[in-house]
Amino acid sequence: DQQVKQNSPSLSVQEGRISILNCDYTNSMFDYFLWYKKYPAEGPTFLISISSIKDKNEDGRFTVFLNKSAKHLSLHIVPSQPGDSAVYFCAASGPGAGSYQLTFGKGTKLSVIP
Amino acid sequence: ETGVTQTPRHLVMGMTNKKSLKCEQHLGHNAMYWYKQSAKKPLELMFVYNFKEQTENNSVPSRFSPECPNSSHLFLHLHTLQPEDSALYLCASSQDPQSSYNEQFFGPGTRLTVL
């Protein structure tokens, strides 16, 4: 049973427009959420995060929104650039047996078209 | 070297071979992780080490054997693997796995193919 879901496997956006990537979760114990970006042949790179006590966090062109009641978060990229083309993973932090663990979604492949 | 490094980047092995994956972190972190990424699946956590002590083993088959000699180095010893073990194996590190606010930093991964 997937606890973190990214229902869109892919997304195409025109350069300069807004990219919106969505993520849903089911476990109410998750209290910290992260977005990672992955280029081919590289490991995931941390992009931005948000604590469950906030509903928005912004860092330059990247903004993450959290709706706790809906168990939904989204990543907004504006304006989108061709270099943003990558796979984006949503991750949620929650307690494991002996330490906090990250649970990942399957990822959304973003293509920004010049 | 900076960040998290992994060697080899690519590995092809037969089912009867023994091989090891190596990970090194240069970030001064206390925790290290092994993940498996298979096609069309989320990253799956395999093992967690905190201050060299294993704190998580997510029901990983014994043909995968981790070793953490110190907080900077992590190995994954592979023995009698199956073709379905072919995947991208990612190593990560973080400062404090006892805190929820715990960003993990990943290496580039080892692409493993089991014939």
Side-chain angles (χ1 to χ4, degrees), chain A residues 49-63:
Chain A
S49 61
I50 188 166
S51 162
S52 60
I53 62 173
K54 295 186 174 182
D55 55 18
K56 177 183 174 181
N57 187 27
E58 191 172 349
D59 183 2
R61 297 185 296 114
F62 302 90
T63 303

Side-chain angles (χ1 to χ4, degrees), chain A residues 2 31-32 34 36 38 41-44 46 49 51 53 89 93-94 96-102 104-106, chain B residues 9 33 35 37 40-43 45 48 55-56 58 88 90 97-108:
Chain A
Q2 266 194 278
D31 60 359
Y32 188 58
L34 307 89
Y36 283 83
K38 186 180 184 300
E42 295 183 15
F46 169 70
S49 61
S51 162
I53 62 173
F89 293 98
S93 179
S99 57
Y100 277 87
Q101 296 183 18
L102 292 183
F104 286 83
K106 289 184 179 181
Chain B
R9 295 292 308 273
Y33 308 76
Y35 285 88
Q37 186 181 23
K40 302 193 191 303
K41 285 189 175 181
L43 273 74
L45 179 65
V48 180
T55 57
E56 300 283 349
N58 280 2
L88 180 68
L90 289 160
Q98 301 305 317
S99 166
S100 184
Y101 307 110
N102 184 35
E103 290 88 0
Q104 294 178 22
F105 295 82
F106 285 83

Side-chain angles (χ1 to χ4, degrees), chain A residues 1-2 4 8 17 30 34 36-37 65 67 69 71-72 77-78 82 84 99 102 104 106 111:
Chain A
D1 180 36
Q2 266 194 278
V4 177
S8 298
R17 305 294 291 267
F30 291 146
L34 307 89
Y36 283 83
K37 174 180 179 180
F65 296 91
N67 182 333
S69 60
K71 292 191 175 69
H72 176 83
I77 307 172
V78 56
D84 296 329
S99 57
L102 292 183
F104 286 83
K106 289 184 179 181
S111 300

Side-chain angles (χ1 to χ4, degrees), chain A residues 34 36 44 46 102, chain B residues 2-5 23-33 48-53 68-74 91-98 101-107:
Chain A
L34 307 89
Y36 283 83
F46 169 70
L102 292 183
Chain B
T2 58
V4 181
T5 58
C23 175
E24 184 173 359
Q25 60 97 358
H26 310 268
L27 300 168
H29 288 164
N30 298 315
M32 297 188 76
Y33 308 76
V48 180
Y49 278 83
N50 187 19
F51 288 103
K52 303 188 301 177
E53 299 298 321
C68 188
N70 55 60
S71 293
S72 298
H73 293 86
L74 185 65
C91 174
S93 70
S94 72
Q95 182 60 42
D96 181 9
Q98 301 305 317
Y101 307 110
N102 184 35
E103 290 88 0
Q104 294 178 22
F105 295 82
F106 285 83

Side-chain angles (χ1 to χ4, degrees), chain B residues 2 19 21-22 27 38 41 59 67 70 74 77 85 91-92 96 111 115:
Chain B
T2 58
K19 295 286 185 184
L21 309 185
K22 179 183 175 183
L27 300 168
S38 305
K41 285 189 175 181
S59 304
E67 178 190 359
N70 55 60
L74 185 65
H77 303 300
D85 296 322
C91 174
D96 181 9
R111 173 68 62 185
L115 301 177

